[in-house]
Amino acid sequence: MKDADQLVLKQRGGVVVFLESAEDFEIIHKRWFFDEGQDICFQAADSYGSGSGGGGCRAVIDLVSDARSNGIKAYGLVDRDVLLADQNWCLWWEYEDDAFSSARPYGAHIRVLLRWELENYLLDPDTMRTEANDEEMTSAHTAASVLASCLGCANELKDKAAASIVARAANLTAPAPGFGCNPAKDGAELTAALQELLRKQGLDDPVDAMSNARQGVDRFDVPSARPEVRWERLLRMLDGKASLKYISHRTRIRFDERRAALARRMFECGRIPGEIRGYIEEFRTAV
């Protein structure tokens, strides 16, 4: 089936962009770049070739290489957390966007997103404000109030990110996205629960490990900056799915269940991330 799919792509011509999953396909192609016409064909790695190779960042990298070897003009988009999986700590902790974006750890045809994963781009306060108002049939929420709610969770979100980083570094299972949401935990209670989870998995000193990872996450925070700038910087180093879950439970607005709606609203309001738009344009015009 993979050979048949490649034959179709080769006959079609143009550019193919591989994405990690069907959900990424629904966001990036169906809601953000559905009007690219014949210039670009988007493919979800977990359904390509009947999904025989599975999805995820490694599948995207392998599919791009395989397609290129068969004369197909292929590119791939992968989440920043691919660097966690590969324990590429030097690039993972790179703070400067230009240095990060210019690195090509997986070759010239793979772009690694600045943020942890695609869900991070949906954590857009202006878009979330509209969805919150529609869900509650009100106009009480503003971008500023939603942003304040998000930043009010910053300490917990950074701890959740630190725990995930520690787990991946030790080849352990990261906390589930909903960990600490139901029942709700915050502050020191959440920190202790995350440390205990890591300890039960066999980590000798989760307190010290989480503290070290938290210092790295904190480096991306800019508390003195305008709230919009602070949040935008933090989103590079927050676990996207976990953040969506936690903010949803804290605000009692289920943003995590409205990802497709958030993505479509971003298109309607002209808020598609410039970083991703730039990559798509780069692929489209590639020689």
Side-chain angles (χ1 to χ4, degrees):
M1 284 300 297
K2 186 181 291 185
D3 290 341
D5 284 350
Q6 286 203 355
L7 180 61
V8 170
L9 292 176
K10 199 164 186 177
Q11 290 177 335
R12 180 186 182 279
V15 172
V16 58
V17 178
F18 286 102
L19 307 170
E20 290 192 20
S21 67
E23 290 186 357
D24 287 4
F25 178 86
E26 286 294 328
I27 292 172
I28 291 178
H29 176 45
K30 292 295 187 179
R31 286 160 182 81
W32 286 352
F33 299 101
F34 57 84
D35 56 352
E36 288 296 313
Q38 294 299 307
D39 294 328
I40 292 183
C41 173
F42 292 92
Q43 290 282 333
D46 57 357
S47 61
Y48 185 74
S50 294
S52 56
C57 51
R58 182 52 57 185
V60 168
I61 294 165
D62 291 343
L63 285 170
V64 169
S65 177
D66 191 35
R68 285 253 160 198
S69 70
N70 285 289
I72 298 169
K73 201 184 298 183
Y75 292 89
L77 282 176
V78 295
D79 299 335
R80 187 180 187 124
D81 68 356
V82 64
L83 303 171
L84 266 185
D86 291 345
Q87 299 194 9
N88 184 342
W89 301 115
C90 182
L91 192 55
W92 170 257
W93 293 116
E94 176 57 61
Y95 178 83
E96 298 296 338
D97 288 352
D98 289 345
F100 183 93
S101 298
S102 63
R104 295 286 183 265
Y106 304 105
H109 307 113
I110 302 293
R111 298 294 178 269
V112 182
L113 297 178
L114 285 169
R115 302 183 185 184
W116 188 300
E117 58 190 338
L118 194 60
E119 280 80 1
N120 293 61
Y121 295 88
L122 302 181
L123 286 162
D124 177 71
D126 194 55
T127 306
M128 295 165 72
R129 171 270 299 186
T130 304
E131 284 302 308
N133 284 332
D134 285 356
E135 180 174 308
E136 297 180 346
M137 193 63 75
T138 182
S139 298
H141 298 284
T142 65
S145 68
V146 172
L147 178 55
S149 296
C150 291
L151 288 173
C153 301
N155 182 64
E156 288 77 11
L157 299 183
K158 288 193 283 186
D159 264 2
K160 286 168 73 69
S164 292
I165 293 167
V166 168
R168 300 289 284 275
N171 296 312
L172 302 174
T173 302
F179 185 89
C181 294
N182 189 20
K185 293 181 174 64
D186 60 13
E189 182 185 15
L190 176 62
T191 305
L194 289 165
Q195 292 168 349
E196 181 60 23
L197 178 68
L198 293 170
R199 182 178 288 107
K200 286 180 178 178
Q201 292 196 60
L203 195 67
D204 290 336
D205 191 351
V207 175
D208 188 56
M210 270 190 62
S211 176
N212 289 336
R214 174 64 187 262
Q215 288 177 33
V217 174
D218 280 335
R219 186 165 178 265
F220 287 76
D221 194 1
V222 192
S224 61
R226 289 185 296 108
E228 296 84 356
V229 175
R230 183 188 177 197
W231 183 238
E232 200 273 338
R233 290 300 309 176
L234 262 177
L235 284 172
R236 282 151 178 70
M237 204 44 60
L238 297 181
D239 185 327
K241 292 183 179 66
S243 296
L244 266 174
K245 283 276 188 185
Y246 194 79
I247 291 169
S248 296
H249 279 79
R250 282 281 290 266
T251 62
R252 299 186 180 182
I253 302 168
R254 296 312 300 263
F255 296 113
D256 58 321
E257 297 176 356
R258 300 174 71 86
R259 287 177 294 168
L262 287 168
R264 189 174 298 284
R265 187 76 69 178
M266 290 177 77
F267 172 83
E268 293 170 350
C269 297
R271 298 187 66 82
I272 296 175
E275 174 200 355
I276 298 177
R277 184 181 290 281
Y279 285 145
I280 299 304
E281 180 63 17
E282 180 186 346
F283 299 156
R284 187 180 66 80
T285 57
V287 177

